[in-house]
Amino acid sequence: MKIHEYQAKQLLRDAGVPVPRGIVVKSADEAAKAFGELGGTIAVVKTQIHAGGRGKGRFKEHPDQAGVVLVKSADEARENASRMLGNTLVTIQTGDEGKVVNTLLIEEGVDIQDELYLGIVVDRESGGPVLMASEEGGMAIEEVAAATPEKIFHEPIDGGYGLHPFQATKLAFRLGMDGKAVRNAARFLPQLCRFFLDSDCSLAEVNPLVVTGDGTLIALDAKVSFDDNAMFRHKAFAELRDLSEEDEAEVKAADTGLSYVNLDGNIGCLVNGAGLAMSTMDLIKLHGGEPANFLDVGGGANAEQVTEAFRIILSDDNVKAVLVNIFGGIMKCDTIVEALLTAYDKIGFSVPLVVRLEGTNVELARKMLNESGKDIITAADLTDAAKKVVGTLA
Ligand code: ADP
Ligand code: MG
């Protein structure tokens, strides 16, 4: 689950990590008022969307308007806010369709001496969280990662203890800090890591981490995602969810107990089991097709779930054919066919449907399919199914 920058900053503040003062607003007048309340000569107007790259992003409606802007008066804050609110911001992370801005964070302007990069992710290689840090922070970190990856330092984080003091100090020196900044880093870095561990984050990124003229460290940006599988341990985080930022079909699928991820292709997939879903997508691609989604109905799907799964797949206009791939293990093939036929009647199919079944009660299930009189293409095995479904598009 992703959250907004202003929410992440509140959580960081609570965890003892320094962040700038800011006020959340939803109208241009509130933005102007917030400038006055912050009381400084410089403030920053920041769009709140579930994507980064806002500083370099531009609005569809106002091609010169960026998503993060420094302002020097209440009027300037109002003008920028009115060009942002209700409009669509396109950044390197939003895709071409962009994201509609509904909320702004008005933040005090910070005296930036140095912009560094910090990020914590779960690292497959070390099998735990790892803290990444670089001197090359700011808005071009993607380019640094691609061109000069050696400029990004890695420290594995002890999942129980957190970041050890010697690791924090070592990183601070490698980041070119001295004096007071090193002492501040010795507190800041372990606190950020502690926050990551305690909150079951899957990502915590501070880019930029700012060192001010007097050696103070401040998290100027904050991007936090939580591990969905740990949300039961953090009931309070539920209210941080912003459904308007999420894919509607994915939300609906999750509510029905389905694992669904929307993709760019045109072959809808309905599969039971995540591993089988992955290999189904692989085979579609191997035979020249592109999957429109990943969908795992799970081991014990019922008719209702299968119906909902079809509804979700077919509501995607890009879907030009559907492949159902079922391995009857815990689930019996005839049960799934019964659900499939019910769903077929309820929803009605306007695109070709290819079905591949294997496993428990497969003979009975095939018989049911053949006798149904419905326009369903059956496949002998997975390769045959992939070829057939790609073939329907030719
Ligand atoms: P994004 O990563 O989405 O582009 P950031 O929050 O990192 O958004 O902001 C982009 C840039 O704007 C930062 O690299 C920094 O230079 C500047 N900036 C952001 N917040 C402030 C602030 N409170 N004071 C001064 N400059 C800021
Ligand atoms: Mg940033």
Side-chain angles (χ1 to χ4, degrees):
M1 180 179 108
K2 292 183 183 174
I3 60 173
H4 287 294
E5 176 194 7
Y6 76 90
Q7 297 168 321
K9 280 181 165 164
Q10 184 56 51
L11 295 174
L12 287 177
R13 190 180 284 124
D14 295 345
V17 177
V19 297
R21 288 183 303 131
I23 298 170
V24 179
V25 303
K26 289 191 178 284
S27 76
D29 283 341
E30 282 173 16
K33 195 167 149 241
F35 183 94
E37 282 173 28
L38 288 170
T41 50
I42 295 179
V44 183
V45 181
K46 310 186 79 174
T47 49
Q48 299 298 292
I49 54 171
H50 282 186
R54 297 160 302 165
K56 284 190 175 167
R58 291 294 180 270
F59 280 84
K60 279 195 176 162
E61 298 82 354
H62 303 283
D64 293 330
Q65 178 71 46
V68 174
V69 181
L70 217 80
V71 294
K72 294 188 172 145
S73 70
D75 281 341
E76 244 187 283
R78 181 187 288 108
E79 285 158 19
N80 278 281
S82 66
R83 282 191 294 269
M84 293 171 167
L85 287 164
N87 290 331
T88 303
L89 180 62
V90 179
T91 81
I92 191 169
Q93 292 185 10
T94 60
D96 292 341
E97 68 272 25
K99 280 196 180 277
V100 176
V101 175
N102 301 310
T103 308
L104 301 174
L105 174 63
I106 315 297
E107 204 167 69
E108 63 177 335
V110 172
D111 151 41
I112 302 174
Q113 178 175 296
D114 218 353
E115 296 201 341
L116 310 176
Y117 173 87
L118 288 182
I120 308 175
V121 292
V122 180
D123 175 39
R124 283 161 207 267
E125 236 165 85
S126 61
V130 61
L131 172 62
M132 299 179 292
S134 176
E135 263 190 278
E136 310 289 321
M139 296 193 274
I141 189 68
E142 280 89 357
E143 289 156 34
V144 176
T148 48
E150 69 279 3
K151 289 190 175 168
I152 302 177
F153 311 122
H154 297 78
E155 278 298 327
I157 302 170
D158 183 324
Y161 182 86
L163 191 74
H164 292 279
F166 78 89
Q167 293 179 295
T169 314
K170 183 171 79 179
L171 266 183
F173 284 122
R174 295 183 92 174
L175 293 171
M177 295 182 194
D178 53 23
K180 204 177 145 198
V182 175
R183 285 195 297 281
N184 284 330
R187 280 169 50 91
F188 188 110
L189 300 180
Q191 265 163 335
L192 183 67
C193 294
R194 185 38 56 206
F195 166 77
F196 181 96
L197 296 171
D198 289 348
S199 309
D200 289 309
C201 295
S202 53
L203 170 81
E205 190 179 57
V206 173
N207 184 32
L209 161 68
V210 157
V211 185
T212 66
D214 68 354
T216 305
L217 268 55
I218 302 176
L220 212 61
D221 190 7
K223 204 166 166 207
V224 166
S225 304
F226 300 118
D227 179 350
D228 290 333
N229 293 317
M231 280 303 96
F232 73 97
R233 301 210 288 201
H234 307 279
K235 297 279 192 283
F237 289 172
E239 66 182 46
L240 301 177
R241 194 165 173 200
D242 182 351
L243 288 175
S244 73
E245 291 278 341
E246 294 181 30
D247 184 286
E248 205 180 313
E250 288 179 16
V251 172
K252 229 172 164 186
D255 288 345
T256 323
L258 308 166
S259 303
Y260 172 86
V261 181
N262 197 3
L263 302 169
D264 293 332
N266 55 9
I267 298 175
C269 309
L270 186 150
V271 188
N272 69 331
L276 191 58
M278 298 297 279
S279 36
T280 303
M281 298 196 304
D282 280 349
L283 273 173
I284 287 175
K285 284 179 93 89
L286 182 68
H287 293 289
E290 286 294 333
N293 66 281
F294 167 98
L295 193 149
D296 171 16
V297 295
N302 54 34
E304 210 175 301
Q305 282 172 310
V306 173
T307 309
E308 191 54 36
F310 276 127
R311 219 190 291 279
I312 289 167
I313 291 176
L314 294 173
S315 68
D316 178 354
D317 290 336
N318 294 326
V319 170
K320 303 294 180 232
V322 173
L323 171 58
V324 173
N325 184 19
I326 298 295
F327 177 74
I330 301 169
M331 156 101 67
K332 295 189 188 79
C333 288
D334 56 315
T335 310
I336 199 101
V337 165
E338 204 178 300
L340 194 147
L341 295 175
T342 314
Y344 194 102
D345 284 336
K346 266 200 185 155
I347 300 170
F349 264 75
S350 51
V351 297
L353 171 61
V354 178
V355 179
R356 178 260 178 170
L357 299 163
E358 203 51 77
T360 312
N361 289 357
V362 66
E363 307 301 337
L364 173 61
R366 287 208 182 118
K367 191 160 162 268
M368 285 163 68
L369 269 186
N370 292 336
E371 289 173 359
S372 71
K374 298 194 198 312
D375 195 4
I376 297 174
I377 305 164
T378 52
D381 55 40
L382 187 40
T383 294
D384 184 38
K387 281 185 182 162
K388 276 182 174 156
V389 74
V390 173
T392 64
L393 302 174

